[in-house]
Amino acid sequence: MSAAPRMPIESGVPEPFQYMHPTMQKNFGQWKYHDRPRPGVLHHVAKSGDQIWTVRAGTQRQMDVYTIRKLCDIADKFGDGFVRFTIRSNIEFLLSDEAKVAPLIEALGKEGFPVGGTGNSVTMIAHTQGWLHCDIPGTDASGVVKALMDELHEEFIREDMPNRVHITTSCCQINCGGQGDIAINIQHTKPPKINHNLVANVCERPTVVARCPVAAIRPAMVNGKPSLEVDEKKCVCCGACFPPCPPMQINDPEHSKLAVWVGGNHSNARSKPSFQKLVAAGIPNNPPRWPEAAAVIKKILATYKKDAKDWERMNDWIERIGWARFFELTELPFTKFHIDNWRGARRSLNASAHIRF
Amino acid sequence: MSAAPRMPIESGVPEPFQYMHPTMQKNFGQWKYHDRPRPGVLHHVAKSGDQIWTVRAGTQRQMDVYTIRKLCDIADKFGDGFVRFTIRSNIEFLLSDEAKVAPLIEALGKEGFPVGGTGNSVTMIAHTQGWLHCDIPGTDASGVVKALMDELHEEFIREDMPNRVHITTSCCQINCGGQGDIAINIQHTKPPKINHNLVANVCERPTVVARCPVAAIRPAMVNGKPSLEVDEKKCVCCGACFPPCPPMQINDPEHSKLAVWVGGNHSNARSKPSFQKLVAAGIPNNPPRWPEAAAVIKKILATYKKDAKDWERMNDWIERIGWARFFELTELPFTKFHIDNWRGARRSLNASAHIRF
Amino acid sequence: MAKPMHPTPRIDQLESGPWPSFITGLKRLANDDGKPYQEMVIDLLGQLETSYETRKGYWKGGTVGVIGYGGGVIPRFTELLDDNKKPKFPAAAEFHTLRIMPPAGMHYTTDLLRKMCDVWEKYGSGLIAFHGQSGDIMFQGAPSKNVQPAFDEFNEMGFDLGGAGPAVRTGMSCVGAARCEQSCANEQKIHRMLVNNFLDDMHRPALPYKFKFKVSGCPNDCMNAIERADMAVIGTWRDDMKVDQAEVKNYVASMGRKKIIDNVITRCPTNALSLNDDDTLTVDNRNCVRCMHCINVMTKALSPGDDKGVTVLMGGKRTLKIGDLMGTVVIPFKKLETDEDYESLVEVAQNAIDFFAENALEHERTGEMIERIGLVNFLEGIGLEVDPNMISEPRQSSYVRMDGWDEEAAKWFERKQQAA
Amino acid sequence: MAKPMHPTPRIDQLESGPWPSFITGLKRLANDDGKPYQEMVIDLLGQLETSYETRKGYWKGGTVGVIGYGGGVIPRFTELLDDNKKPKFPAAAEFHTLRIMPPAGMHYTTDLLRKMCDVWEKYGSGLIAFHGQSGDIMFQGAPSKNVQPAFDEFNEMGFDLGGAGPAVRTGMSCVGAARCEQSCANEQKIHRMLVNNFLDDMHRPALPYKFKFKVSGCPNDCMNAIERADMAVIGTWRDDMKVDQAEVKNYVASMGRKKIIDNVITRCPTNALSLNDDDTLTVDNRNCVRCMHCINVMTKALSPGDDKGVTVLMGGKRTLKIGDLMGTVVIPFKKLETDEDYESLVEVAQNAIDFFAENALEHERTGEMIERIGLVNFLEGIGLEVDPNMISEPRQSSYVRMDGWDEEAAKWFERKQQAA
Ligand code: SRM
Ligand code: SRM
Ligand code: SRM
Ligand code: SRM
Ligand code: SF4
Ligand code: SF4
Ligand code: SF4
Ligand code: SF4
Ligand code: SF4
Ligand code: SF4
Ligand code: SF4
Ligand code: SF4
C-alpha cells in the first residue's frame, strides 16, 4: 500500500519580517519623511535618525530564472541582499549606506535594468497575461507593455511629469489590469460568433444567459441542436459570455480593437478616487509593436506634460481644463460614443453653464 | 341673431419698455456695477454715470386690491411711479434720486411692508397655492409662508447671512415651489386610500396606471366594479396618482407630513447647480402656524449663519463641512431614510477615504 | 346689509406678526359692503377656515375657459357640500383663476397696476398674486360667468392668457439688461421671441405635456432656468473677462490678502485665479468656466467680456415621475446679434417642440424623453451635433458597441475643418 | 542535442529596445541545453509566435490542482492542434500556473529568491512573474505531473497557494510602516490576519464569486484598494495633523508664496488650509478630509496625527457585469490597537463573507449585491449601523416611503446618547 498523500500546510501569507531589511524592521512604523536624491532613488529618514535608500528598477515582470538570479547577484554584490517588488513589478533594492547607491545604479545600468519609476515619472505599466497564458485574451500583455515601455523609457528614468503617471493594460474587457491615469484595453466591436455545434456540450446555457450584462442571450434550437442566440441589436460586444462558453468566440483578429481610457485615479489625494473615461477607440490591435496605440499614448502624455500644473494627476488636469480642451489639445476626435448611455449616464451630462471658451 | 363672439387678440408677452423706468430704458444693457447702501436697497451705476436706486419690500404675494393700491400710492407719492416684482414676489420701487430712498422706506415701514430681501438676507419664500386654490394640496401655502416669514422677519430686513438664502415651499410632492437652499415640502407617508365606487366613473385607468413612478398600480375588479389596486409594498406614497384620479385619496390629515430639504442651488456660482437633499421628515402638518417646521428651519439657519464662511451658499457650506458635521451641528437625526435608493443612488455613496473627524 | 362673516378662529391667527397678512387682506375685501366680491370672499374665508380645521383641501377642477383658447384658466369648484349636497359656501362655489402674462421682466407703472385692480374688483374676488411660480399674474377667484368679460378687458389692455395644461407655458426672464451689470443678453427680447412664436401651442394645448422657457442673463441664473425650464437660455461670454487691476488692488487693500485668497482665489472651481505678489490678479481665461463667483464678489473690478452670447440647455424639470432633472447643454455658445441669430434660436425651439410633440409619451416631459431615448438620439432628432461641452465627462463604461467609430471620427474632423 | 528553435520573426522584434525583454529571457531558457524546461519553452515560443501571427489565443482551461486544495492553480492546455488533432507544440501542451502568496509587502532576501528559482527550474518553465495583479507570485508553466511536487517544495519553504475561482483571493498590502512615513496602520498585520483567517474559503472555493482584501496604510491608497477590493482597509487618523511651522516657513521661503498658494492651499478639496500673512499655515482639522495632498507635498512640514486607525470600504471591483464599482465606506473609523480591535476587524470580514455567501447570486460580487439589495439592507445584514460618513450626500428623491421615521430617529438619538 502506498504512503498517504502529503497534505498541504495551510500557512497562508508569510510573515514578512524574516525577509525584511534590518533597518526597516528596526524602524517599522517610525519613519519621519523622505526625499528623492535622484530619479529612481528614495531616501527615507526614520525618527531614530536611521536612513534607508531605495533604488528602484524596472523589470519585465515575467522573468526567467537567469534574470532573477542576475538581480540577486547585483543585490548581493552592491546592496545588502534585501529587495522588494512594488505593486507595479518594479524591483526595489534597499540600502542602509548611501555610498552604495551610485555603484548599484551603475551595475543595474550595465545589465540593462532601467533605474527610475519614482515620483513624477511614468512608472512601469501594470499588465496581465494575454496570449502567453490566458484562455480568453484578445491581445498580448507582456508584448504590449514591452513595446510601450521601450517608447516611454525616457519618461521612466526621468521625473519630468506633473505628477506620477500610472498606466495599465488589459487584454480583454474583463480588465484584470485595473485602470489608471491611462488604460489601454481591448474593446470588441462585433458580437460573438457562435459555434452552434459545440454549445450544447461545452456550455452551461442558463449560466451563460445570466452572464450577459444586457440580457442579449437567449436559449435557442439551431439546426436541431440546443444552442444560444444573441440579439445583435442589444449586444454590447463585451465578451462576458466567452469565458463560460468558449464556443461564443468574441475575439476577432480584425474587429477586436484597442481603446484608450484616461483619468482613472485611486488615490484620495485632492479629489476622490475616479474612474477612467473613454478617449480613443478603434485602434488596431497590431503586434508585435502596436505603433498606433503607442502614438495615442505618447500624444496624450506629451500634452499632459506640457499643459498640466505641478501635482495635477491626469484626472485633476482634465478636470481643470475641461474635456473640450482635452480633445482640442490631444487632437483626438470626439464622437457620439463618448457620450455615456450606461446606467446613471445622466450624471455625466453637463447640467450647468460651466463651459470653457 | 346675436353678435359674433369676441375673438382673443393673441398678443402674447407684452413689450416691457412701455412700463419701465426711464433711467432703465436709457441705460438698458449699459450697467457698470452695483452696491448696497443698506439692506433692501440696491444702487446700480450705469456706464453713462446714471444711477438708479431700488428699494425692495416684501409682500404677501396673494394681495387684495387695497394692498396693491396702497403700494401704488407709495410709489406715486415717494417714488417715480415705476415698480417691478421679483421672481420671489418682492416689490421693487425704482428711484432715480437718492434723496427719495429714505422717505420711501419710512412710508413702507409705516404701512407695514418690510424692506429687505437683498444680498445676504433670507429673502421671501417662494410658495404655491395650497388650500386656497389648488385641487390636490396636502397643506396650505400662503399660510405656511406667512407663519415662517413672521419668524424670519429679522433675517429678511438684515443682511447677516453668509450668502443669500432662498427658501421654497410646496404643498404636495409635485413641488411647484421648486427647490432652494431650504425647501419645506409635503411628504406623504401612507399609500392612497381608494374610493372604489368612484374610480370607474372618474378615472382614465390606463392613464393612472401609467402615472405611477414605481408601477405599483394595477387595474382590478373590486366588489364587482372595475377599479384600481395599489401594491402597498411598492408604493412610495408620492401622490402622482391623485391628480388624474381623485378617488385615490393621498392626502391624510395625520399622515401627510412635512419634510425639509437643503442645498438646492440653481446658480452656477462656484459649484454647478445642485439638487436639494433630505435632512428632516416626519414633521407634523400643523396649521395655522406650523411651529415644528419653523423650529427646524430656524435651527438650520442659525447653524449655517454661525458656521459658514462668507459667500458660501447652504450647499457650499455643507460640501465643505460634510454631512456628518451638518447633522451633528443641527442636532437632526440621521436615519436609513437619508441613504438614497432611487435611480443612480450609488452616486451618493462615499466611495473614498474622504472623512472628517 | 351683507351676510355675516363666518367664525375663523384658526386663520385669524395669521393676522398677527410683522409680515403682511393675506388673511387681513381677504378680510378687508370681505368687509367691503356692497362690492360684487364681498360675499364670495366671506365664503372663501369660510372654506379656508374649514381646511385649516380638517387639514383637507376642498377644490376640484373642471372646464372653464375663454372663447378661442383651450387653456390659461384654472377652474375651481368647491367640493365642500352640506347634508343636502349643496355647497356649504355657495358664494365661493366657483373660484377660477386667470393666468395672465406680465410684461417681460415684470415691470409695471402704478397706472397699469391700478387698471388691473379695477378690472378685478369688477369681475373677480379682488385677490391678485404677483406672481405665480411660472411667472403669470394670477387673478384668483372669479365665478364662471365673469371669466370671459374679465379676460376681454385684460386682452384689450394688451394682455394675454398664459399657459396651462399640456402646452407651451408662460416663460420668465430676469431683470437683466434693464438693471444688471452682469447681463450678457437681451433677456426680454429672447423671452418674448420664444414665447410669442409659440402662442398657438400655448393657447391650444396639444403637446404630450408642458414645455417651459426661461431666460437668465448670466450664469447666476436668477430665473432658476436650468432646473425649472424645458429650454433654458443663459447669457455668457466667450472672450476674456474684464479686469480693472486698480480696482483689484483696492479690494486687496480693503479686504486684506488672506481674505481675498480665502473668499475669491480658493473659491474658483477651476483654480483659474492667481493673486500675484504685487496684488494684481491673473485670470486663466481659457479655464474660467464663467461661474460668476469672482465677478460677483469683486463687481467693481471684474466683469464679463465683450463677445457675449448664450448657452442653451434642455430638459430641466421637477420631480414627476423619474426624479428631478437639470437641463443639459445642447448649444454651448450661440451669438445673438443679428435678426438671423434670433430667428435661428427660435428655430432650435421649434425643432425641439416638434420632436417633443412627435416622440414624447403622454405626460412625459422633454427631460424624461431625453433620459429614455438618450441624449445622442435627441440631438440627432433636433439636428444638433455632439460636442464635448455637453458632457461633464466621457463614458466610464466599456459596455457599448463601437463599430462605426471611424465614420464618427471622420465626421468630427470634417466639422473641425469646416470650422477652421 | 535539443529540438530546433521555431522561427519567430514577430516576437523577435520584441528583443530590441531599452526595456528588459521577456522574449530574450524566454529564449535564454529555450537555449538552455539539457534543462528539463528547454523543450517546453521552445514550444511555448512557437505557440506565442503563432498568436502574434494570427492574433488569436490558444489556451484553454481545465482542472489541475494539488491534493487537499480546490484552487490556486490556473490550468492551461494548448488548443493549437495539427491536422491529426495533435498539439502543434507538444512540449508546451500543458502550461499551468501556480499562484503562490508572497510575504506581506513583497519583501525578499536574495536567498529566498534563489531558492524559488531552483524549485522552478526543476519543475517548471523557469518563468516567474513578480507579481500578478492580485499580488501572487506566478510560477508560470508547469506540466500537470509537476504541479504537486513543485507545490510541496514551496509549501515546505513556508509558502502557500493563493486564490483562484469563487473564493477568498490573495490579498495585498503596501510597503507602509516598513518604509513609509505616511503609514497610519500595521498593514502587514491587517493583511495577514484577514487572509489567514479565511484560508478555508481560499483553498476550497465555495463562495458565489471572488472576494478580495486589500490594505493601504493611508488614503494615498497605493494598493488601489478602494477600486479593486471587495473589502478595503485604509489607514487614517482622527486627531489633528502634525504641523511643523518652522518647516512650513522653509517651504514658503524656498518655493515662494504664490507657488505654495497655487500648489497647496488652492488644491485642498475642502479649503481647509489657510496661509497666514506671517507665512505660517492654519489647518482647519475638523474639515480636513485626510486626502493627503498637502502632506504629500510638504512631507517634512506636515504629517498624519497620532490617533491612528482605519477606514473600511466594501464592494469595489472592475467592470463585470454592471460596470465598475468603487467600494463604499462601511466603517468610517476603527481603532486598531488591542488584539480585540484586530479580532473585531476579522469579525466584520467574517460577517461580510457569510452574508455574501448566503445572499449573493452566482457570479455576483459583493458590490453588485449591495447595488441590488441596497446599502441599508447590506448594513443590517452584517450588523453595522448607518452613518452619514457612508454617503457623499443624502437622498435627492422624495420617492420613498418614510413612515417609521420616528422609530429610526429614536435609534439615532439612542446611539448618540450611548456614545456620549
Ligand atoms: C512602492 C509603492 C507601494 C508598494 O508597496 O508597492 C508606492 C510607494 C510610494 N507611494 Fe504610492 N506607491 C506605489 C503605488 C501607488 C499606487 C498604485 C499603482 O501604482 O497602481 C497609487 C495609486 C494610483 C492611483 O491613484 O491611481 C499610488 C499613489 C500614491 C500617491 C498619490 C498620488 C496622487 O497625488 O494622486 C502618493 C503621494 C505622492 O505622490 O506624494 C504616493 C506616494 C508614495 C510614497 C512617496 C510614499 C512614501 O512616502 O514612501 C512611496 C514612494 C513613491 C515613489 O515612487 O516616489 N503614492 N502609489 C508602489 C510603487 C509602484 C511603482 O512601482 O510605481
Ligand atoms: C431681482 C432678482 C431677479 C428678478 O428678475 O427677479 C435678482 C437680482 C439680482 N441677483 Fe439674483 N435675483 C433674483 C433671484 C435669484 C435667484 C432665483 C430665486 O431667488 O429663486 C437666484 C438663484 C437661486 C439659487 O441659486 O438657488 C439668484 C442667484 C443670484 C446669485 C448667485 C448667488 C450665489 O452665490 O449662488 C447672484 C450673485 C450674487 O449674489 O452676487 C445674484 C445677484 C443678483 C444681483 C446682485 C445682480 C445685479 O448685479 O443686479 C441682483 C440683486 C440681488 C440682490 O438681491 O442683492 N443672484 N438670484 C431676483 C430677486 C429675488 C428676490 O426677490 O429675492
Ligand atoms: C400656480 C402654480 C403655483 C403657484 O401658486 O405659483 C402652480 C400650480 C399648479 N401646478 Fe405647478 N404651478 C406653478 C408652477 C410650477 C412650477 C415652477 C415653474 O414653472 O418654474 C413647477 C416646477 C417646474 C416644472 O415645470 O417642472 C410646477 C410643476 C408642476 C407639476 C409637475 C411637472 C413635472 O413634470 O414634474 C404639475 C403636475 C402636472 O402638471 O401634472 C403641476 C401642476 C399644477 C396644478 C395645475 C395642479 C394640478 O395638476 O391640478 C396646480 C394648479 C394650482 C391652482 O389651483 O392654481 N405643476 N408648477 C404655479 C403656476 C403659476 C403661474 O402660471 O405662474
Ligand atoms: C493573472 C491575473 C492577471 C495578471 O497577469 O496579473 C488575472 C488573470 C485572470 N483573471 Fe483577473 N487576473 C488577475 C487580477 C485581477 C484583478 C486585479 C486585482 O485583483 O486587483 C482584477 C480586477 C479587480 C476585481 O477583482 O474586480 C481581475 C478581474 C477579473 C475578472 C472580473 C471580476 C469582476 O467581477 O469584474 C475576471 C472574470 C471572472 O472572474 O469571471 C477575471 C478572470 C481572470 C482569468 C481567470 C480569466 C478566466 O476567467 O479564465 C485570468 C486567468 C489568466 C491566466 O491564465 O492566468 N479577472 N483580475 C491576475 C491575478 C494574478 C494574481 O493572482 O496575482
Ligand atoms: S484581462 Fe482578460 S485576457 Fe487578460 S488576463 Fe485578464 S482575463 Fe485574461
Ligand atoms: S458579448 Fe456581452 S453583450 Fe454580447 S452577448 Fe456576450 S455577454 Fe452579452
Ligand atoms: S405644489 Fe401641489 S398642491 Fe401645491 S400648488 Fe403645486 S400642485 Fe398644487
Ligand atoms: S402614491 Fe405614487 S407610488 Fe403610490 S400608487 Fe400612487 S403614484 Fe404609485
Ligand atoms: S441672471 Fe444674471 S443678468 Fe439676470 S439678474 Fe441675475 S445676475 Fe443679473
Ligand atoms: S468666473 Fe468663476 S470660474 Fe471664472 S475665474 Fe471667476 S471664479 Fe473662476
Ligand atoms: S498607501 Fe500610504 S502608507 Fe502605504 S505606501 Fe502608499 S503612501 Fe505609504
Ligand atoms: S490633507 Fe487634504 S484635505 Fe486635509 S488639509 Fe491637506 S489637502 Fe486639505
Side-chain angles (χ1 to χ4, degrees), chain B residues 34 36 42 44 56 84-88 90 92 117-119 123-124 163-164 166 180-181 264-267 269-270 311 313, chain C residues 173-176 179-182 220-224 296:
Chain B
H34 83 283
R36 300 192 308 276
L42 307 172
H44 285 85
R56 184 179 294 172
R84 69 177 296 276
F85 287 91
T86 73
I87 189 177
R88 289 188 167 266
N90 288 316
E92 294 186 329
T118 53
T123 181
M124 169 62 162
N163 195 340
R164 56 189 67 243
H166 292 132
D181 296 295
N265 181 336
H266 301 139
S267 92
R270 300 168 303 281
W311 293 98
R313 288 281 299 274
Chain C
S173 55
C174 66
V175 62
R179 195 204 56 194
C180 177
E181 69 270 23
Q182 318 297 18
N220 281 330
D221 195 3
C222 294
M223 294 296 103
N224 305 317
N296 291 337

Side-chain angles (χ1 to χ4, degrees), chain D residues 66-97:
Chain D
V66 302
I67 295 163
Y69 285 177
V73 178
I74 308 293
R76 289 297 176 242
F77 299 93
T78 187
E79 276 185 314
L80 193 53
L81 308 176
D82 60 23
D83 309 347
N84 356 337
K85 302 259 164 287
K86 294 250 158 312
K88 230 168 141 198
F89 300 99
E94 299 172 346
F95 198 77
H96 314 313
T97 287

Side-chain angles (χ1 to χ4, degrees), chain D residues 71-362:
Chain D
V73 178
I74 308 293
R76 289 297 176 242
F77 299 93
T78 187
E79 276 185 314
L80 193 53
L81 308 176
D82 60 23
D83 309 347
N84 356 337
K85 302 259 164 287
K86 294 250 158 312
K88 230 168 141 198
F89 300 99
E94 299 172 346
F95 198 77
H96 314 313
T97 287
L98 272 71
R99 293 181 174 177
I100 296 283
M101 293 190 286
M106 299 175 173
H107 303 273
Y108 296 89
T109 56
T110 50
D111 174 60
L112 172 61
L113 286 173
R114 292 180 197 278
K115 288 209 181 88
M116 288 178 161
C117 290
D118 297 343
V119 174
W120 202 238
E121 85 169 37
K122 211 180 337 161
Y123 300 109
S125 68
L127 186 71
I128 311 175
F130 290 97
H131 298 82
Q133 291 294 338
S134 300
D136 284 300
I137 312 168
M138 297 190 292
F139 292 90
Q140 306 209 268
S144 305
K145 67 174 185 359
N146 287 1
V147 168
Q148 185 71 49
F151 167 71
D152 289 340
E153 287 201 27
F154 289 128
N155 196 216
E156 291 300 330
M157 284 167 59
F159 290 82
D160 200 356
L161 275 180
V168 165
R169 293 304 192 87
T170 302
M172 296 177 87
S173 55
C174 67
V175 62
R179 194 203 59 195
C180 178
E181 70 269 22
Q182 318 298 17
S183 172
C184 299
N186 186 334
E187 301 84 2
Q188 61 85 30
K189 180 171 182 182
I190 299 168
H191 173 179
R192 295 184 62 233
M193 278 195 83
L194 287 174
V195 173
N196 293 353
N197 270 284
F198 296 97
L199 292 175
D200 186 41
D201 287 313
M202 170 178 279
H203 294 140
R204 291 158 202 92
L207 296 175
Y209 198 8
K210 60 188 74 168
F211 191 98
K212 294 177 178 178
F213 294 109
K214 285 183 167 64
V215 184
S216 287
C218 83
N220 280 329
D221 194 4
C222 295
M223 294 297 102
N224 305 317
I226 292 175
E227 194 241 1
R228 280 164 54 168
D230 299 276
M231 177 167 165
V233 182
I234 311 283
T236 188
W237 69 97
R238 212 163 32 173
D239 55 342
D240 293 359
M241 75 166 69
K242 299 220 182 99
V243 183
D244 179 334
Q245 295 291 3
E247 285 292 347
V248 171
K249 289 184 177 175
N250 292 342
Y251 275 103
V252 179
S254 59
M255 293 171 66
R257 285 195 121 248
K258 183 181 162 79
K259 201 156 181 219
I260 289 282
I261 293 167
D262 293 346
N263 280 334
V264 184
I265 309 299
T266 60
R267 304 292 181 88
C268 173
T270 52
N271 290 346
L273 295 172
S274 183
L275 186 62
N276 303 315
D277 294 338
D278 66 357
D279 289 357
T280 59
L281 187 72
T282 301
V283 182
D284 174 2
N285 280 284
R286 277 165 64 87
N287 288 315
C288 162
V289 290
R290 280 59 175 170
C291 89
M292 296 300 294
H293 174 73
C294 61
I295 298 176
N296 291 338
V297 178
M298 310 207 290
T299 161
K300 278 186 186 166
L302 307 176
S303 45
D306 293 319
D307 187 9
K308 299 182 157 83
V310 296
T311 296
V312 179
L313 298 90
M314 289 189 187
K317 68 179 294 297
R318 293 290 299 157
T319 317
L320 281 180
K321 90 179 208 182
I322 65 173
D324 299 274
L325 303 175
M326 296 275 179
T328 298
V329 173
V330 296
I331 300 180
F333 185 86
K334 182 165 181 37
K335 206 74 190 140
L336 283 184
E337 270 168 359
T338 65
D339 293 352
E340 293 68 35
D341 293 339
Y342 280 90
E343 278 150 25
S344 71
L345 181 68
V346 173
E347 216 170 278
V348 170
Q350 183 73 64
N351 296 341
I353 289 175
D354 291 348
F355 187 84
F356 174 61
E358 282 158 35
N359 298 283
L361 307 175
E362 191 247 328

Side-chain angles (χ1 to χ4, degrees), chain C residues 133 219 246:
Chain C
Q133 291 294 337

Side-chain angles (χ1 to χ4, degrees), chain C residues 115-131:
Chain C
K115 287 207 181 90
M116 288 178 161
C117 290
D118 297 343
V119 174
W120 201 238
E121 86 169 35
K122 204 171 354 153
Y123 300 109
S125 69
L127 186 70
I128 312 176
F130 291 96
H131 299 81

